[in-house]
Amino acid sequence: MRRRTMLLSCTALTLALGATACGGDPVTAAGGGGGGDLAGQTLSVAAVWTGAEQKNFQKVLDAFSAKTGAKTQFLPTGDNTSTVIGSRIEGGNAPDVVMVPQVGVLQQFAKQGWLKPLSPAATAAVDTNYASVWKKYGSVDGSLYGVYFKAAHKSTVWYSPDALDQAGVEPPKTYAQMLTSAQAVSDSGLSAFAVAGEDGWTLTDWFENVYLSQAGPEKYDRLAAHTLKWTDPTVVKALSTLGELFADKELIAGGQKGALSTDFPGSVEKVFGPEPEAGMVYEGDFVAGVAKDQFGKRIGEDAAFFPFPSVDGGEAPVVSGGDAAVVLKDGKNQKAAMAFAEYLAGPEAAAVWAEAGGFVSPNKNLDLARYGDDTTRRTAESLVKAGDSVRFDMSDQAPAAFGGTKGTGEWKLLQDFLRDPSDPAATAARLEAAAAKAYRATS
């Protein structure tokens, strides 16, 4: 499970290369086609993906090759995208395209002067195929640099239908109903929730969903930009709401101590593994992949989800993450790189991975029938229908020192809060101190 990227470094890293080549017809134009005959060019694309994700992305690369005649090389970056790409640029060996997994990193790359603004054709395709919020997250200072090709829907609560049936409850519509249902699950013999407290990023996702619904999108945006302080009463209120769950040892598998020693895959195992300990686990749509691939669950039957419920009468939140394709100025194949960005901006490329599975696209013109199962189709439909109300993962928008580093910043402070949720105001003050320091360092 990949997660955050780290700060820039000059450390030299060696990347394995994998190449595929196919000949084919020229790419068609607007809406995601590309830029004509690219035979003789080799496009290098760097991304964090490994395993099944890399295999399925390779199908997208192969489809691009078949349309354009370009060869492709996939460059695995590991989790440290910033470090790897910085090292390759400094070494004169920059890839042509990078799939950037964080808004903050995209902004960092643009401010370093590493990125080329997207072509008019790519921009037109984004305007046609995406809600404007995705263009916003791909832009810096008014210039569009990134196409959000792959997304994660991070407002899904996954559950065992057997566990809810045994407790006699239906999927809840509100946060208050969810806590009531959680108590019923606990009373029936299972803990209600498996919480992956060992991975601090999961706790930031819990907070973001509560905060977006309770405080609303305007304040969410301000907090993400740190124009609203973490000591604001809305933050304290969200922490207090979250603390109601974290403080109840009966509702969390293993209590706070058990949660803090449970990583993300372990939290999925506690619900869908051979010896279930809990009825529900909150995290993004990628829970389905773990439940299916590692524990053989039939998605939609043995494992299902309900949308993260509304909090205190607010709108149900839709928090997302995603990977954006950006074109590097120092890449050696600019024509192929821009054609690839145009291709990814259209529904054709998204359809390739949608059919392969393990993928959700924010592209509103991708035919939902191209997804291979009803659950993924529901997830994708929810993301697309949310339109401009979608909000990108807040911690992914923050400087990595605050929002994306193990053992420090928001990850560590929310782990401390899980351990002892008795003083939300004090936690808010510590979050503000850490955020202020991190944002000053990047200003």
Side-chain angles (χ1 to χ4, degrees):
M1 183 65 202
R2 64 99 173 147
R3 191 50 185 171
R4 308 288 200 265
T5 52
M6 313 305 276
L7 291 172
L8 290 171
S9 162
C10 294
T11 307
L13 295 173
T14 302
L15 296 176
L17 302 181
T20 61
C22 300
D25 298 327
V27 169
T28 57
D37 186 4
L38 300 174
Q41 292 200 43
T42 298
L43 176 75
S44 58
V45 183
V48 301
W49 298 317
T50 60
E53 285 185 308
Q54 181 180 339
K55 181 180 178 181
N56 289 335
F57 182 59
Q58 187 63 55
K59 294 178 181 179
V60 178
L61 294 175
D62 291 346
F64 178 73
S65 294
K67 289 184 71 69
T68 65
K71 297 180 179 179
T72 64
Q73 294 179 325
F74 179 82
L75 312 178
T77 66
D79 286 340
N80 298 336
T81 301
S82 296
T83 301
V84 171
I85 299 307
S87 297
R88 292 187 70 89
I89 289 173
E90 290 174 1
N93 192 26
D96 299 307
V97 174
V98 182
M99 306 302 297
V100 178
Q102 265 185 289
V103 171
V105 173
L106 186 152
Q107 294 171 343
Q108 183 182 30
F109 282 10
K111 290 174 181 177
Q112 289 282 343
W114 292 353
L115 303 184
K116 190 170 184 177
L118 296 186
S119 67
T123 300
V126 170
D127 287 337
T128 298
N129 297 312
Y130 290 80
S132 62
V133 68
W134 294 100
K135 186 175 182 179
K136 170 189 170 184
Y137 288 130
S139 299
V140 179
D141 295 333
S143 294
L144 179 62
Y145 292 101
V147 175
Y148 276 94
F149 176 62
K150 185 177 189 291
H153 192 322
K154 303 183 77 174
S155 297
T156 52
V157 181
W158 293 83
Y159 66 95
S160 163
D162 286 345
L164 265 62
D165 287 346
Q166 182 176 322
V169 294
E170 298 289 333
K173 302 293 186 183
T174 68
Y175 191 83
Q177 289 174 2
M178 186 171 72
L179 294 184
T180 301
S181 297
Q183 187 61 58
V185 172
S186 178
D187 291 343
S188 72
L190 280 177
S191 294
F193 284 99
V195 176
E198 184 178 320
D199 288 328
W201 59 266
T202 68
L203 304 181
T204 71
D205 293 344
W206 269 105
F207 171 80
E208 288 157 9
N209 276 274
V210 170
Y211 189 82
L212 177 56
S213 182
Q214 194 175 61
E218 181 182 352
K219 288 194 173 179
Y220 184 98
D221 291 343
R222 290 179 60 199
L223 188 61
H226 199 227
T227 59
L228 183 72
K229 291 186 176 182
W230 284 78
T231 47
D232 189 84
T234 57
V235 175
V236 178
K237 183 177 180 180
L239 288 171
S240 299
T241 298
L242 191 55
E244 293 179 38
L245 172 61
F246 287 175
D248 195 328
K249 296 181 180 180
E250 292 184 2
L251 299 187
I252 298 175
Q256 290 97 332
K257 184 176 180 181
L260 287 164
S261 61
T262 301
D263 62 9
F264 167 70
S267 69
V268 180
E269 181 177 6
K270 286 186 175 183
V271 177
F272 300 113
E275 298 181 5
E277 299 178 38
M280 295 178 280
V281 57
Y282 157 67
E283 250 311 328
D285 58 87
F286 39 82
V287 168
V290 180
K292 178 182 177 182
D293 297 341
Q294 294 191 22
F295 306 113
K297 297 301 180 181
R298 296 167 297 174
I299 305 304
E301 297 182 42
D302 305 319
F305 80 90
F306 57 84
F308 197 100
S310 63
V311 185
D312 291 343
E315 295 293 326
V318 180
V319 177
S320 183
D323 298 88
V326 298
V327 176
L328 293 192
K329 283 184 178 178
D330 290 348
K332 297 178 176 61
N333 297 284
Q334 295 287 307
K335 182 180 179 182
M338 201 59 72
F340 188 63
E342 294 166 16
Y343 177 64
L344 294 185
E348 181 182 350
V352 174
W353 198 337
E355 291 174 353
F359 174 84
V360 171
S361 172
N363 191 311
K364 63 186 179 184
N365 289 319
L366 171 62
D367 184 354
L368 292 172
R370 305 301 285 268
Y371 290 103
D373 65 88
D374 288 339
T375 299
T376 305
R377 196 171 295 114
R378 278 182 60 211
T379 306
E381 183 178 24
S382 171
L383 185 68
V384 169
K385 281 189 172 180
D388 287 335
S389 66
V390 172
R391 286 300 182 271
F392 208 93
D393 183 306
M394 188 186 297
S395 58
D396 277 354
Q397 298 183 58
F402 177 66
T405 303
K406 184 176 181 179
T408 189
E410 191 179 0
W411 293 14
K412 172 63 164 58
L413 292 171
L414 289 179
Q415 287 173 323
D416 292 343
F417 181 67
L418 171 60
R419 184 177 293 108
D420 179 8
S422 62
D423 196 341
T427 295
R430 287 189 283 269
L431 285 163
E432 172 56 28
K437 180 179 178 181
Y439 279 87
R440 279 197 304 269
T442 59
S443 62

